[in-house]
Amino acid sequence: MDRFPNAPHVDFHSPLDLSKAAAAVLDAEGRVSGWGSSAQRLLGHAPEDVLGQPAARLLATAPGQRLSTLCKLCRAHRPRSTVLDLCCRDGRTLRAAVTFSPLAHRGAAATVVVAAALESQRGWEAQLALLQGMATESDVGLTIFDTDLRVVWANVSTDLELAGIAQYIGRPASDLFPEGEFLSRHHPPDEDQIMEHVLTTGEPIMGMHYRGRAPADPVREHVWSCSYHRLVDARGELLGLFEESLDITERYRAQERLSLLVRAGKRIGASLDVRRTAAELADVAVPQLADEVLVDLPPAVIEGRQPPTGSAPGHSLLRMHGRTPEEFRTSPVSYPPWSPQAQSLATSRPVIDPSPPEPPDGSGAAAAHSCLFVPLLTRNAVLGLATFRRSSNPDRFGPEEQTLAVELAERAAVGIDNARRYASQHAAALVLQRSLLPQRLPEQSAVDVAYRYLPADSRVGVGGDWFDLIPLSGARVGLTVGDVVGHGMHAAATMGRLRATVRTLALLDLDPAELLTRLDGLVAQDSEPGAGDGLGDETLGVTCLYAIYDPVSGRCVWASAGHPPPIVADASGSVALSALAPGPPLGLGGLPYENVELSLSGGSVVAFFTDGVVEDRSTDIDSGIDRLSQVLTWQRCPLEELCDRAVSARPPGPQADDATLLLVRTRRLGPDHVADLELPPDPAEVAHARTDTERQLTAWGLSDLSFPAALVVSELVTNSIRYASGPVMLRLIRDRCLLCEVSDNAHTAPHLRRARRDDEGGRGLFLVAQMSQRWGTRYTASGKTIWAELAIP
């Protein structure tokens, strides 16, 4: 198969060859006695015009010099070659290369003259010079093989010539480089198969990269670019093939170094994990640069703290070795002050040890014949040491490889320092977030509680999830869960501030919709340009759910600001997502929030959660809600077990968002814990209320509280009768404390004040505050309720 079918045919015969050149015969007097057709083609003279004529007439020299020049050339006893100007028939002068060869035939002297255009002769001589140069001076190695793939000839540039070509003549190609290999994947890997392919198909194979050790240099590994071409003679018969080889070792290694740097830029430092970054350095450098890479770091750097200063270089390090985080091992190591490792750390420069001892960590690694120690430097600080070891690779580290190792170490140092800083910030944010979340939930009788908080994957950062349980008046409880957009320290700080704000607003006994409205206004205010607190970006898009549960009535009211609604599993076992329609996320402003009321039986389980529980990279939120609902079908199990089931049902692997789950099981306070009394607006009813209170406390076994409770009830009922116009409701609740509540239809709240010595009134609320541990006012749709809590002895 001809690779270049339109290429001109190359004829290596000399233009003065008798088969091509113009030929003529001169007799002893210098007359033309023979004139060939080739001479006629060259000069244009017909035989009848020149035969018998003096040959000097064909010379374009001066007339006086023609005869003498011709005589000298014809009387020579050996062939003579010269350059002559010849006259053509058309009047042109042709500069030609001419050879005069004396000829004696039967005693008669004659001269054979052959001529060719000087330009053709010079071209042929240039071709010969080219072939001679390729055979003797070119860097390209040429080797000729016969049809049996045995060496026939090699030029001086081949490694065979350097090793002594004579001993390889007649030997098969497989004997030349027995331990080499081709680096191309597009052709057969065996040299004999490649040569057979060229011989059979005639298709040349170009630019194959071959790696091996030359016979003249068996220690150092070389790379050649090889091409194979079939050889045929003028008749088209197969002669064999020849191989062109060019040593491209340095170019190949430079290209490999460049590709290694490109790969290092993509791989090293992308994980924000110290151990993984060290493994990435080893994975990139092995086996191209070294047979093994060891990374020595102080424990402080691995833990995310500042590298130690003032200690002796190489003292108390942790050695990490392995190419993947799964196979990574650590072991303590220290270097004496005179060791090359300590010298590299002290001078912040790479050090080559041509004859290193066994590794001091007892890792069982193969003995190295060359080691390169490179400090891990960043921001004028020494983080640790990278050791590049060679054992199976016989080459020692050269200047280019030392530069490459320094470049890789610099990239690894930046990645390790970034990972250290990130680990430090992540740990601080995690501590901050955990300190802002409830350390323990307060004791109360309304619900049983279990919760789980799962931080996101460390590479993502700490999120802004929060939850809380807030005891309210009347044995009620407030439940909240929220999520701040983003991750990191700012998200954790924003979460802590919002959680505190929710708790403060909840203690004002606001209903859920009113609480979210006020919270939305505060977030929108913080999000305005120039707020100056640095938290504006994180407060945009915050979601929050707030609910109030009353164990006396079993009534639960909740409202949502862009947060997923809760899932309810009632005591009968049915599970359903709440019909709550979430309002807009906090911070948008101007849009209303609505309350949703639901009556819950005792023993119902309600799941409050953030989107990290039900949503991840592999599943959508609907599938996650179905998964959590399936877990809640086991609602009779203990809440802690339900939390574990919900967590284990999440897809495995790193999570992109925090996950917060708050499970509550409702309780009901029965009639034996609650007493209600309706009183008409008559001052005489105060004594009636006091008497009924003492009787109820005696029935509950709380006679010790009769006097303070009766005093509190009488003062609260008196205020309601005095300032309200309708009936007054008295409620006593026996819980962890005694709750006294008085409700009326007035919307004005009494205020505590200090009465003067001569004032006849104004001391009632002061007495209530002194007798109770807490008291306050909450507003309802029909009026208000004043409440007081008395501790049970």
Side-chain angles (χ1 to χ4, degrees):
M1 179 179 181
D2 195 350
R3 182 174 176 85
F4 303 104
N6 298 323
H9 178 70
V10 179
D11 187 359
F12 287 99
H13 289 90
S14 171
L16 295 176
D17 187 275
L18 287 176
S19 63
K20 300 173 58 177
V25 180
L26 306 182
D27 59 15
E29 283 82 20
R31 296 179 180 276
V32 179
S33 60
W35 190 257
S37 60
S38 58
Q40 182 177 356
R41 287 194 300 270
L42 180 65
L43 298 178
H45 299 289
E48 58 270 17
D49 296 333
V50 294
L51 288 175
Q53 300 295 325
R57 295 176 54 188
L58 298 176
L59 300 181
T61 57
Q65 299 177 356
R66 294 176 181 176
L67 186 59
S68 61
T69 302
L70 188 61
C71 290
K72 289 180 181 179
L73 293 173
C74 291
R75 293 174 180 175
H77 298 290
R78 55 185 179 84
R80 293 284 299 275
S81 296
T82 186
V83 177
L84 296 176
D85 293 327
L86 303 180
C87 298
C88 299
R89 183 181 182 183
D90 58 5
R92 292 181 300 109
T93 299
L94 176 68
R95 196 166 184 82
V98 185
T99 299
F100 292 81
S101 300
L103 178 65
H105 180 65
R106 297 178 181 178
T111 303
V112 177
V113 181
V114 291
L118 181 63
E119 183 179 353
S120 300
Q121 180 67 13
R122 290 287 186 259
W124 176 77
E125 291 174 351
Q127 293 179 359
L128 288 184
L130 172 65
L131 295 177
Q132 180 70 17
M134 291 183 64
T136 60
E137 300 178 7
S138 172
D139 291 333
V140 178
L142 300 175
T143 307
I144 297 178
F145 300 88
D146 61 16
T147 55
D148 294 327
L149 304 183
R150 298 182 179 275
V151 178
V152 175
W153 175 85
N155 69 342
V156 297
S157 296
T158 59
D159 292 281
L160 299 182
E161 182 70 26
L162 298 177
I165 184 61
Q167 60 178 315
Y168 291 98
I169 296 297
R171 295 178 61 176
S174 57
D175 290 352
L176 304 184
F177 303 95
E179 298 180 358
E181 61 177 349
F182 281 102
L183 303 179
S184 175
R185 299 180 179 177
H186 303 291
H187 294 280
D190 183 75
E191 186 176 21
D192 287 345
Q193 296 179 7
I194 291 177
M195 291 183 172
E196 289 287 355
H197 176 80
V198 174
L199 285 176
T200 303
T201 65
E203 176 186 358
I205 294 181
M206 315 285 289
M208 293 283 290
H209 287 178
Y210 186 84
R211 180 170 57 195
R213 289 178 171 83
D217 185 12
V219 176
R220 186 169 180 263
E221 195 172 61
H222 291 252
V223 177
W224 294 271
S225 176
C226 301
S227 300
Y228 298 88
H229 305 264
R230 186 166 65 172
L231 293 176
V232 294
D233 60 12
R235 299 183 302 275
E237 294 184 2
L238 181 62
L239 298 176
L241 58 84
F242 75 93
E243 174 195 59
E244 296 176 278
S245 61
L246 178 63
D247 193 329
I248 59 170
T249 303
E250 297 304 323
R251 185 180 71 187
Y252 180 81
R253 290 184 177 180
Q255 184 178 358
E256 287 289 292
R257 288 193 293 268
L258 180 60
S259 64
L260 184 64
L261 288 177
V262 172
R263 191 165 69 251
K266 296 179 180 179
R267 293 284 307 279
I268 298 177
S271 61
L272 289 178
D273 182 85
V274 173
R275 290 179 173 83
R276 189 177 294 272
T277 301
E280 291 164 352
L281 172 62
D283 188 51
V284 168
V286 175
Q288 186 172 333
L289 180 61
D291 295 316
E292 186 181 21
V293 175
L294 310 174
V295 179
D296 303 335
L297 297 174
V301 173
I302 299 177
E303 296 166 3
R305 295 182 282 116
Q306 286 284 350
T309 57
S311 59
H315 179 68
S316 299
L317 302 176
L318 281 179
R319 162 158 292 179
M320 295 182 286
H321 38 90
R323 293 180 60 182
T324 62
E326 293 74 17
E327 67 180 25
F328 233 52
R329 304 182 303 278
T330 58
S331 56
V333 63
S334 293
Y335 298 110
W338 59 84
S339 63
Q341 294 92 331
Q343 179 184 354
S344 176
L345 291 172
T347 60
S348 299
R349 294 182 178 179
V351 174
I352 295 180
D353 187 0
S355 55
E358 291 294 325
D361 58 351
S363 60
H369 65 79
S370 182
C371 279
L372 175 60
F373 306 106
V374 183
L376 300 174
L377 305 175
T378 179
R379 297 180 179 92
N380 298 323
V382 180
L383 296 180
L385 182 72
T387 301
F388 299 85
R389 304 175 72 249
R390 281 185 172 177
S391 53
S392 60
N393 188 338
D395 299 334
R396 300 191 180 276
F397 290 102
E400 297 84 1
E401 294 164 321
Q402 180 176 335
T403 303
L404 177 60
V406 170
E407 177 71 20
L408 295 180
E410 289 176 353
R411 293 177 183 267
V414 172
I416 290 173
D417 190 56
N418 290 338
R420 178 193 64 80
R421 291 172 177 269
Y422 175 78
S424 176
Q425 294 180 3
H426 182 268
L430 191 60
V431 170
L432 173 63
Q433 186 185 42
R434 292 190 181 278
S435 66
L436 295 174
L437 290 174
Q439 302 303 307
R440 62 180 184 86
L441 296 179
E443 296 181 356
Q444 38 74 43
S445 302
V447 292
D448 294 324
V449 182
Y451 60 90
R452 293 291 184 273
Y453 169 71
L454 302 175
D457 179 50
S458 61
R459 291 172 292 181
V460 178
V462 174
D465 288 9
W466 88 85
F467 66 96
D468 206 352
L469 184 147
I470 309 165
L472 303 176
S473 62
R476 300 171 307 142
V477 64
L479 301 162
T480 181
V481 62
D483 188 4
V484 175
V485 175
H487 298 84
M489 192 78 73
H490 285 300
T494 302
M495 174 273 294
R497 193 177 67 165
L498 290 177
R499 173 177 170 263
T501 303
V502 170
R503 174 172 282 269
T504 300
L505 295 175
L507 293 177
L508 296 177
D509 274 319
L510 303 176
D511 67 67
E514 177 65 20
L515 183 146
L516 292 181
T517 300
R518 296 197 184 187
L519 187 63
D520 175 67
L522 293 174
V523 171
Q525 182 179 0
D526 291 339
S527 302
E528 294 177 355
D533 56 6
L535 300 176
D537 293 340
E538 282 74 16
T539 54
L540 288 174
V542 175
T543 65
C544 180
L545 173 70
Y546 180 66
I548 297 177
Y549 173 67
D550 187 352
V552 176
S553 63
R555 174 174 168 267
C556 187
V557 181
W558 47 50
S560 169
H563 202 83
I567 301 176
V568 180
D570 61 24
S572 64
S574 63
V575 180
L577 187 67
S578 170
L580 171 64
L586 299 175
L588 300 183
L591 298 175
Y593 298 98
E594 297 181 0
N595 288 327
V596 172
E597 182 174 335
L598 183 66
S599 180
L600 298 177
S601 58
S604 299
V605 175
V606 184
F608 302 89
F609 54 90
T610 59
D611 54 1
V613 176
V614 295
E615 188 177 20
D616 56 58
R617 296 186 180 99
S618 60
T619 59
D620 57 20
I621 190 170
D622 293 333
S623 300
I625 290 177
D626 293 341
R627 183 179 66 240
L628 182 58
S629 300
Q630 185 65 31
V631 172
L632 293 182
T633 58
W634 298 79
Q635 57 97 13
R636 296 185 182 276
C637 296
L639 292 182
E640 293 292 338
E641 182 179 339
L642 283 179
C643 281
D644 292 338
R645 287 176 179 265
V647 170
S648 61
R650 301 176 70 207
Q655 301 296 326
D657 198 6
D658 290 12
T660 298
L661 175 64
L662 177 65
L663 295 182
V664 298
R665 177 174 282 123
T666 60
R667 296 179 182 175
R668 295 290 297 270
L669 295 179
D672 56 335
H673 286 75
V674 182
D676 291 321
L677 178 64
E678 183 177 353
L679 301 172
D682 184 356
E685 294 296 323
V686 175
H688 184 197
R690 185 167 50 246
T691 301
D692 285 352
T693 298
E694 292 174 346
R695 184 184 305 113
Q696 185 63 54
L697 293 180
T698 301
W700 283 343
L702 301 176
S703 301
D704 294 343
L705 289 179
S706 295
F707 175 73
L711 178 59
V712 168
V713 167
S714 64
E715 292 296 334
L716 296 180
V717 171
T718 299
N719 279 336
S720 293
I721 292 175
R722 178 177 298 176
Y723 299 107
S725 58
V728 175
M729 294 296 301
L730 170 64
R731 170 174 285 182
L732 301 176
I733 302 175
R734 178 170 63 90
D735 193 21
R736 296 179 181 273
C737 60
L738 178 64
L739 302 174
C740 303
E741 295 184 346
V742 176
S743 304
D744 56 47
N745 59 3
H747 291 276
T748 58
H751 299 283
L752 179 66
R753 65 184 180 90
R754 186 180 296 276
R756 294 190 296 269
R757 183 179 302 176
D758 54 349
D759 287 346
E760 295 182 359
R763 297 177 178 83
L765 286 182
F766 180 78
L767 293 175
V768 172
Q770 295 298 313
M771 292 295 179
S772 60
Q773 59 183 10
R774 286 199 314 156
W775 75 280
T777 304
R778 70 174 181 268
Y779 294 93
T780 63
S782 59
K784 71 174 184 301
T785 297
I786 305 177
W787 54 270
E789 295 180 358
L790 283 71
I792 297 177

